Structures are given as structure tokens and as C-alpha cells.
Amino acid sequence: MTNSLEDRCKKLISLGSFDQCEKEIVNAMTLDPHSAICHNLMGILMENENEHVLAMKHFRAAYALDSTYIPARLNMELFGQDYPLKHLVYSEDDCSKYEDDQFKVVYDNKHVGHLVRK
């Protein structure tokens, strides 16, 4: 079993080790600055630090980098509501907690995937 960045961040955040979690995310971002996963995790970290506006920016960045990355899309929806649910979607494995098959990926004529609500 691998210890993914998502798993490490989930554990660090649950322990309140926000500084260590931020270091891990920043290190991963330096290796892959276009990673939707890193921006999604940074958004989750910012939500836990009560930085809602900054969190939403990271969720939007993650979605812009990869529109097929469902965790970022779900986090934008969950935290963009007037009364946001405090459930966080760390990885695609966490998506099953929410309405399964809520979205589908539709590819355009240039083979770019887009999430579409079913």
C-alpha cells in the first residue's frame, strides 16, 4: 500500500500539523506545478485554516488544470454553497461518499475531457 500525498495530508490535517502538511504540498508543487491534486490539497488545507477565499482559489486552480479531476469539482461545490458542508474530498476515493456517478467525462473533438453533470 502506497502512502500517497493525499493520505499523508489527510493524516497531517487530522493531527493539526498544518505547517508540515503545507511543506509537503509545496514540495510536491515544486516537482509538478500543474498538479490538480496539489492545488486541491492546498485548498483543503486553507479551508482548515479558515482561509475560505484562498481555498476556493486553489480548488478553481485545480479544476482549471484538470477539469476531469472530480475531487476539485466536488470541493468547489461543497464549499461554494451559502451554508457549506464541512466534508472534504481529498482524493478520487473520497468521491464515492457523494452521489456516485454525479458527473461523467465527455470528450470533445480535440480529445479534451470535460465534466458534465448527469
Side-chain angles (χ1 to χ4, degrees):
M1 183 173 165
T2 63
N3 192 10
S4 68
L5 178 62
E6 296 100 315
D7 292 337
R8 291 192 312 272
C9 287
K10 186 185 274 190
K11 183 175 182 179
L12 289 169
I13 289 172
S14 71
L15 295 172
S17 301
F18 298 149
D19 290 338
Q20 180 60 37
C21 183
E22 185 172 6
K23 287 177 187 174
E24 293 225 12
I25 296 169
V26 169
N27 286 339
M29 277 184 173
T30 58
L31 297 173
D32 187 2
H34 304 294
S35 168
I37 293 170
C38 293
H39 282 281
N40 185 60
L41 292 172
M42 188 63 82
I44 291 170
L45 178 62
M46 293 299 103
E47 274 296 337
N48 278 279
E49 292 183 333
N50 296 315
E51 294 287 344
H52 179 70
V53 173
L54 192 53
M56 291 303 291
K57 288 179 181 180
H58 281 285
F59 294 143
R60 282 191 296 274
Y63 182 71
L65 289 166
D66 183 355
S67 63
T68 64
Y69 187 62
I70 296 173
R73 177 75 173 145
L74 284 174
N75 282 329
M76 280 194 307
E77 284 194 12
L78 292 170
F79 287 96
Q81 301 175 21
D82 288 335
Y83 301 100
L85 303 173
K86 292 295 182 182
H87 302 286
L88 299 163
V89 183
Y90 285 84
S91 67
E92 293 186 4
D93 294 338
D94 294 337
C95 293
S96 63
K97 295 177 189 173
Y98 304 95
E99 298 174 36
D100 284 341
D101 300 322
Q102 184 179 11
F103 298 98
K104 66 179 178 179
V105 178
V106 176
Y107 293 93
D108 63 18
N109 59 353
K110 296 181 181 177
H111 306 291
V112 175
H114 303 275
L115 282 179
V116 177
R117 187 179 297 281
K118 287 185 177 180

